[in-house]
Amino acid sequence: MFATWCLGHDCRVPLMKPLSPRSCSTKLILWRVKKMMDARHNKRRFAWAAGLTLLAVAVGQPVPAEAEEAPNTVAADAELSELRADLDTVRQRILRPLLAPVPAEAARKLLETLRPDGGWPGIDYQDRSRSGWKAVRHLSNVATLARAYRSPGSKLQGDEALRSSVLRSLDYWLSHDFQNSNWWWNQIGVPRALLPALLLMKEDLSDEQRSRAVTILRRAKIGMTGQNLVWVSRITAVRGILENDPELVTAAYRRIADEVRLSTGEGIQPDFSFHQHGPCLYNHGYGAAFAVDCSEIATQVAGTRSAFPAEKTALLGNLILDGSQWMARGGTTDFGGEGREITRRGQTGHYLSVAARNMLQLPTGRKGEFRDLQARASGQPAPPLIGNRHFWRSDLMTHQRPRYYTSARMFSNRIANTDMPCNGEGLKSHHIADGCNLLLRTGREYGDIFSVWDWRKIPGTTVQQRSELGGSPRRMGRTSFVGGVSDGHYGLAAFELERDGLTARKSWFFFDDEYACLGAGITCDSDSPVVTTLNQCNLAGSVLVAKDDQTRKPDSEAHVLNNPDWLWHDEVGYVFLTPGAVRLHNGQQRGSWWEINHGYSRDTVARDVFMLWIEHGRRPQNAAYAYLVVPGITADSLTMYVRRCPVKVLRNVPGLQAVWHEGLRIAGLAFYKPGKVEIRGGLMVAVDKPCLVLLRESPEKLAIAVSNPRNEKATVQVEVSRPLDGEGVEVLNGSVRSRITLELPGGMEAGKSVTRAYATR
């Protein structure tokens, strides 16, 4: 039987059915020729040799001498045998979870409703939704029936009537070849959904079914970047398994492993945040799928020739442990890392538990951390995360404490605020990165609240209250002074906001029991009111308000609170450090999921919401705010805390925002321009360039962390009115002052903090 091969540039795949060799030697010749062509060594000669070889084999003649390469047939046979063994190993590992029993009742229900033509009456095959496409549910049903037929633990295993139904329902899809106007479904979603049934029913497929199925699978062409690349490559690998092509399988898995790399484009960033769709933070969206898929694939190919190299496994572990888990509290994710998926119902961090379980099967050297993560993300007891992380590639700072999680989400001229509202999702996310400062304790604070949210009052943001959210939600920032400084335990984030005529300097100072939020230079040239929102979350119990040592419990309605001292809700205290016009809403809000995601119903939903904000009025000029958030505190304890508040605002002006924590002996200093500040009596700090400084004082040393929020390489000099010893220190004025010279990194680490400790004299 003849086989036509492409003998042109860099081609190695048969264009027709593979040749059925009449002898082992023919197999080996074909194999060696393909290997030589793959190696790209003397391509033209090998292409010519391949043609001569195939022609000779086809007509039953000896192979010409010029086509001989004296192959080591034993070695080639062994190599081919090993690749096929690897293919079988991977196939069995992929099948293992698919062969888990499915409830017989679910399968019987699908059988009862299956139409004679192979479709189901409850599925809208004409649906044109670009996101939650209803037609694809058909393939989920086919997979359920196929699992019931093949699973050793199924009561319907081997049932001939069930087999017939599986093939009939599969035929229905293959013959109609349903497609969507959204490319993702055609190239990724449908091929992925088709794979389980094809793997389970491989031996039962007719030639026509196999051909039609492969046509669909071939739409997943290897290319793209990040998680999209992982999806299409994984589909290609399984197609190779179905076609018994070990080389295609190996090449596809190699491409996936190659994508596990540090990048300043899409994918894993140098700070272990994750980007997709350009410079857009997506750890809990595309990054979640990347973590789960790559870790699962790594377990499936472990011990084979496609096994992930050790450095790839380590990097994948870094993404999960040093990136994504720091953006979640237990099984609740920070919605700032979800992109447009924030508008999908029921978002959770369960994927972290799945990824951790996968990683526990691999040699990482971090099994204890993965066990803790798996437990935390599953809601089981585990040691809490404690620390502070600044993700300089994504303008995000996260802060973990045993009693709470919080973050500051910003955007700059380096990173987008959110994703495009693709497929009718994420329609109101315009201000999601305008200084978003969420707070998680129980994990229930923002559960499915987004359908009723006032999207102009996202927690932490300073926003013009326009009547409508116009234009695309996605945009790049206009400023470069956006970043954070962290010593790994405490942190400071600073944000120069400029948007549609509104400018402000916003900063957050993260400590142990509390964090401080400052705003300065709030100026706007429009008539729309400007507000800063402290929180907008699900209402949980009573609200208490204190002023002049008098505490009251406001009713469930809108309230004007003039210059309150503090407010308490859901074990969280909000302490006002400067007078202001504060507004409270603690009652019902209404909306619909369709307003933010056209894949959902237009039905009106209602929830009880707690919303607290500061009004800056119309056309504010250099307005400011300062408040503390104290999580995990009772109302009685909050009263005592306020009387002995350890936090002092040193400066809150457009050029400098500075806070001192007396109890921790920590100062956070956001220098928007060169300057100096007195932290306490006898301790002055000055800098010669705009930068962020975190200073921690102890009797015997002074620890200093510095960063350049413009994410550029820089040399910064910090002067401290104390004599110090250490690297880069120059003592001035007879041992009274010290000048510290710090080299801040550029390149992939531009924006990363540099931390030094200096002995005090």
Side-chain angles (χ1 to χ4, degrees):
M1 180 174 65
F2 286 92
T4 302
W5 279 64
C6 169
L7 301 179
H9 176 69
D10 200 26
C11 186
R12 63 181 179 82
V13 182
L15 299 182
M16 295 176 61
K17 288 185 179 181
L19 185 68
S20 297
R22 285 169 292 183
S23 68
C24 181
S25 61
T26 303
K27 279 186 189 177
L28 295 169
I29 292 171
L30 294 175
W31 173 247
R32 295 302 294 174
V33 169
K34 288 178 72 182
K35 291 291 285 182
M36 290 185 288
M37 291 180 70
D38 280 349
R40 303 190 180 192
H41 177 258
N42 204 358
K43 288 183 186 174
R44 292 184 179 178
R45 179 184 175 196
F46 286 142
W48 175 245
L52 291 175
T53 298
L54 292 170
L55 182 59
V57 170
V59 299
Q61 297 299 317
V63 177
E66 57 267 41
E68 292 282 4
E69 289 293 327
N72 182 334
T73 57
V74 175
D77 223 3
E79 185 174 7
L80 184 56
S81 177
E82 287 178 17
L83 282 172
R84 287 175 173 166
D86 284 351
L87 186 149
D88 187 61
T89 296
V90 174
R91 184 177 68 86
Q92 294 298 331
R93 289 172 176 173
I94 294 173
L95 281 172
R96 190 176 301 142
L98 296 178
L99 292 174
V102 296
E105 189 59 34
R108 288 194 179 100
K109 186 174 181 180
L110 291 175
L111 286 173
E112 291 170 2
T113 55
L114 182 66
R115 299 191 309 235
D117 65 355
W120 274 279
I123 296 176
D124 181 3
Y125 294 97
Q126 303 307 312
D127 177 43
R128 293 294 178 263
S129 301
R130 289 175 56 85
S131 53
W133 189 30
K134 297 179 178 63
V136 81
R137 186 159 63 90
H138 179 99
L139 293 177
S140 176
N141 290 351
V142 177
T144 298
L145 293 182
R147 291 179 62 192
Y149 175 71
R150 285 293 184 203
S151 172
S154 170
K155 295 179 181 179
L156 297 173
Q157 183 190 20
D159 185 277
E160 281 302 313
L162 175 56
R163 175 183 177 276
S164 175
S165 296
V166 174
L167 297 176
R168 187 165 81 251
S169 61
L170 180 60
D171 264 337
Y172 186 81
W173 186 278
L174 295 177
S175 61
H176 287 82
D177 192 12
F178 298 102
Q179 297 191 40
N180 191 284
S181 60
N182 179 356
W183 70 268
W184 187 91
W185 287 110
N186 305 326
Q187 297 181 39
I188 296 175
V190 168
R192 281 179 73 210
L194 190 58
L195 290 177
L198 297 180
L199 283 166
L200 290 163
M201 305 300 293
K202 178 184 177 184
E203 307 305 325
D204 298 85
L205 299 177
S206 67
D207 288 344
E208 183 178 0
Q209 287 173 324
R210 194 184 311 275
S211 175
R212 287 181 172 180
V214 168
T215 296
I216 293 175
L217 297 184
R218 285 183 181 274
R219 292 172 187 155
K221 300 181 185 302
I222 295 181
M224 311 182 201
T225 57
Q227 178 56 23
N228 285 329
L229 180 141
V230 172
W231 276 322
V232 296
S233 298
R234 190 175 196 181
I235 293 164
T236 301
V238 179
R239 174 166 65 83
I241 292 173
L242 292 168
E243 294 183 310
N244 295 314
D245 186 344
E247 282 197 284
L248 181 61
V249 174
T250 301
Y253 282 135
R254 183 184 302 119
R255 190 65 189 87
I256 293 171
D258 288 345
E259 193 64 11
V260 182
R261 59 190 173 90
L262 292 182
S263 172
T264 55
E266 293 188 342
I268 305 174
Q269 301 300 298
D271 58 3
F272 305 119
S273 59
F274 190 93
H275 289 183
Q276 194 81 45
H277 292 174
C280 181
L281 176 64
Y282 246 127
N283 278 69
H284 297 320
Y286 286 91
F290 189 92
V292 170
D293 283 4
C294 288
S295 60
E296 182 177 48
I297 292 166
T299 66
Q300 291 169 348
V301 301
T304 73
R305 294 191 175 200
S306 298
F308 281 23
E311 65 273 16
K312 301 294 186 178
T313 303
L315 185 54
L316 188 58
N318 293 341
L319 169 67
I320 298 166
L321 292 177
D322 302 323
S324 298
Q325 79 157 338
W326 283 91
M327 303 177 194
R329 178 166 174 83
T332 304
T333 54
D334 183 328
F335 53 72
E338 294 175 358
R340 70 177 190 271
E341 296 180 26
I342 185 177
T343 58
R344 297 179 186 176
R345 286 178 177 171
Q347 291 288 92
T348 74
H350 175 68
Y351 83 88
L352 288 168
S353 177
V354 176
R357 183 186 64 213
N358 292 337
M359 296 300 292
L360 282 169
Q361 301 176 52
L362 301 169
T364 62
R366 305 182 72 175
K367 288 191 181 298
E369 293 175 79
F370 279 115
R371 278 193 292 267
D372 289 344
L373 172 58
Q374 184 182 18
R376 275 195 302 270
S378 302
Q380 302 300 316
L385 276 182
I386 300 175
N388 179 279
R389 293 290 184 275
H390 178 60
F391 296 93
W392 63 88
R393 290 285 306 165
S394 297
D395 294 340
L396 171 72
M397 177 167 282
T398 68
H399 193 65
Q400 298 269 5
R401 287 299 184 268
R403 292 186 296 182
Y404 68 95
Y405 165 93
T406 188
S407 66
R409 171 86 165 86
M410 308 163 284
F411 72 116
S412 64
N413 58 10
R414 304 176 297 270
I415 187 167
N417 61 338
T418 188
D419 197 3
M420 293 291 291
C422 301
N423 312 319
E425 296 182 302
L427 298 175
K428 292 188 176 183
S429 300
H430 299 65
H431 299 291
I432 198 67
D434 289 14
C436 177
N437 174 220
L438 62 80
L439 172 64
L440 297 172
R441 284 194 325 103
T442 65
R444 298 185 294 272
E445 286 81 0
Y446 308 100
D448 282 343
I449 194 176
F450 306 113
S451 61
V452 303
W453 240 16
D454 182 342
W455 287 80
R456 302 166 303 166
K457 293 185 175 69
I458 294 173
T461 61
T462 299
V463 174
Q464 297 180 60
Q465 302 299 288
R466 293 175 170 171
S467 58
E468 293 184 0
L469 295 168
S472 171
R474 178 172 172 136
R475 65 169 63 190
M476 297 294 290
R478 300 186 62 183
T479 61
S480 62
F481 194 101
V482 182
V485 61
S486 174
D487 64 5
H489 201 73
Y490 302 100
L492 154 64
F495 180 26
E496 184 177 11
L497 171 65
E498 182 179 334
R499 178 172 185 147
D500 301 332
L502 170 65
T503 59
R505 304 286 170 84
K506 297 169 67 68
S507 56
W508 299 263
F509 303 78
F510 297 106
F511 303 116
D512 284 330
D513 299 327
E514 67 280 283
Y515 55 93
C517 308
L518 270 57
I522 302 171
T523 299
C524 188
D525 59 8
S526 84
D527 289 327
S528 299
V530 177
V531 310
T532 295
T533 302
L534 283 70
N535 208 349
Q536 183 181 189
C537 61
N538 288 312
L539 183 65
S542 301
V543 176
L544 297 178
V545 179
K547 181 179 180 180
D548 299 331
D549 292 328
Q550 298 295 316
T551 303
R552 66 185 180 93
K553 184 186 298 184
D555 297 331
S556 297
E557 56 184 44
H559 301 273
V560 177
L561 308 174
N562 290 318
N563 305 325
D565 296 329
W566 55 261
L567 186 144
W568 180 89
H569 167 252
D570 194 22
E571 304 292 320
V572 178
Y574 302 88
V575 181
F576 299 94
L577 302 177
T578 56
V582 178
R583 299 293 182 265
L584 166 68
H585 168 85
N586 58 322
Q588 191 177 88
Q589 289 182 191
R590 304 170 74 85
S592 79
W593 282 100
W594 185 88
E595 293 176 16
I596 58 175
N597 186 333
H598 286 350
Y600 292 121
S601 166
R602 295 174 183 261
D603 294 346
T604 298
V605 295
R607 298 182 76 92
D608 290 334
V609 173
F610 167 83
M611 185 160 52
L612 183 67
W613 70 95
I614 299 170
E615 292 194 342
H616 304 298
R618 302 176 188 274
R619 295 184 175 272
Q621 299 294 312
N622 284 317
Y625 64 83
Y627 61 89
L628 298 177
V629 180
V630 189
I633 193 169
T634 65
D636 290 341
S637 297
L638 182 60
T639 301
M640 298 299 297
Y641 173 90
V642 171
R643 291 173 183 170
R644 297 179 292 190
C645 183
V647 179
K648 178 182 179 182
V649 176
L650 303 176
R651 297 289 294 277
N652 187 25
V653 295
L656 172 62
Q657 292 177 306
V659 168
W660 169 249
H661 194 295
E662 181 65 33
L664 297 173
R665 314 292 290 177
I666 294 175
L669 315 171
F671 289 99
Y672 295 89
K673 60 182 182 180
K676 64 180 179 179
V677 63
E678 183 177 11
I679 294 175
R680 58 171 181 76
L683 181 58
M684 295 278 295
V685 175
V687 298
D688 69 336
K689 289 184 177 66
C691 62
L692 304 179
V693 178
L694 192 67
L695 181 148
R696 189 174 183 184
E697 186 183 34
S698 66
E700 298 180 352
K701 69 178 181 179
L702 190 69
I704 298 178
V706 181
S707 75
N708 180 5
R710 291 197 171 103
N711 283 26
E712 298 171 344
K713 185 177 181 179
T715 301
V716 174
Q717 291 186 338
V718 181
E719 289 193 10
V720 181
S721 59
R722 292 185 65 175
L724 302 173
D725 287 326
E727 179 184 352
V729 174
E730 178 185 1
V731 179
L732 308 172
N733 292 353
S735 302
V736 175
R737 292 186 298 124
S738 298
R739 178 185 296 151
I740 305 166
T741 300
L742 294 165
E743 298 295 334
L744 304 184
M748 280 190 167
E749 295 190 334
K752 183 178 181 180
S753 302
V754 172
T755 303
R756 299 284 186 269
Y758 302 96
T760 57
R761 296 183 180 180

